[in-house]
Amino acid sequence: MSALPGRLVLLGHPVAHSASPRFQNAALRAAGIPLHYETLDVTVEALDATLQALALVNGAGNVTIPHKEAVAARCVRRTPVAERCGAVNVFWHEGHELFGDNTDVAGVEFVASALLQRRTAGARVALIGAGGAAAAVLCAVERWEGAHVRLYNHHMPRAESLAQRFSAFTQVVPSIAEAVHGASLVVNATPVGMHDDALPVPLALLPEQAAVFDLVYRPTETAWVRLAREDGHRAADGEGMLLEQGALAFERWFGRHPDRGAMWRAMH
Ligand code: NAP
């Protein structure tokens, strides 16, 4: 993208709780870029009008629940990974045309491959949840040679329809216990544990060597991550993914690396 965007926003509904403005504004300050990153609470009904208004000011930004798929559908061009995922979490304009990318996938890759100590080939992944974040996980795992996913969602039809798009390496299973059996990586891609200490997977079901990746981000570690780590598992919550997808978005908007240290410090 050549000229600075007229506005830099996070589109979502609800969106006020988001941590993105904190670390994106820290990155902007560190880079000396005279922009302020702001949240825009946009209902589904208001999405088209909002995108039209942003096109007029060369707007750019991020997209979160529930608009990732809708914005992807409205982009004139999508990167191959956004195309594969069917979801866009980063957008910008060229002329008045809307472009989209998906940096959630690279955010998943960043954390998951570290948890697996780079041994992603042949990984056995248990994936709980079948929404947009689960699609990002499948897009990341698709690149791991010989990896396999057992997918569980509390509503089977949504799991079936997501798995169909990744059928070469994804199998839907009818219980959490079956998903987790023999897994080397267990991923929570549901909101369970976001507002309380509910566990998406009972600790007793986790295979001894399994790493645990909770996509949920809270100001303090989720109960699942804390307890899994106490039980000897390598475990990470959603913070690393959130920061990495944000850093890669910054690179997409401004063509330069953000100060990841400043972003991290803004979160702590
Ligand atoms: P989504 O598209 O709404 O999908 C949510 C998934 O969780 C669906 O499969 C849904 O199943 C399931 N689910 C919802 N409530 C549930 C419950 N009470 N018990 C069991 N399953 C439940 O949301 P998403 O975008 O995939 O996000 C999922 C989670 O990942 C959220 O917590 C989000 O904050 C987190 N996330 C984190 C990052 C990051 O950077 N760390 C990025 C993206 C998302 P049904 O639709 O069948 O009910």
Side-chain angles (χ1 to χ4, degrees), residues 80-134:
V81 67
E83 192 78 44
R84 180 70 178 122
C85 228
V88 151
N89 74 314
V90 182
F91 72 94
W92 66 98
H93 285 91
E94 292 187 15
H96 289 321
E97 293 189 333
L98 184 61
F99 284 63
D101 191 8
N102 188 308
T103 60
D104 283 338
V105 176
V108 168
E109 172 70 32
F110 179 75
V111 176
S113 64
L115 281 171
L116 287 167
Q117 300 174 307
R118 315 287 161 214
R119 290 192 287 267
T120 52
R124 292 287 171 265
V125 180
L127 177 57
I128 316 301

Side-chain angles (χ1 to χ4, degrees), residues 29-40:
R29 276 193 301 276
I33 295 172
L35 275 175
H36 183 72
Y37 181 102
E38 53 185 320
T39 57
L40 265 190

Side-chain angles (χ1 to χ4, degrees), residues 140-163:
V141 174
E142 188 166 39
R143 299 168 179 168
W144 301 348
E145 196 187 335
H148 184 265
V149 177
R150 286 198 183 141
L151 174 65
Y152 171 80
N153 191 54
H154 63 169
H155 298 133
M156 287 284 272
R158 194 165 185 190
E160 300 281 6
S161 99
L162 179 63

Side-chain angles (χ1 to χ4, degrees), residues 21-44:
R22 241 186 303 153
F23 63 75
Q24 291 293 5
N25 282 316
L28 289 165
R29 276 193 301 276
I33 295 172
L35 275 175
H36 183 72
Y37 181 102
E38 53 185 320
T39 57
L40 265 190
D41 195 317
V42 179
T43 60
V44 169

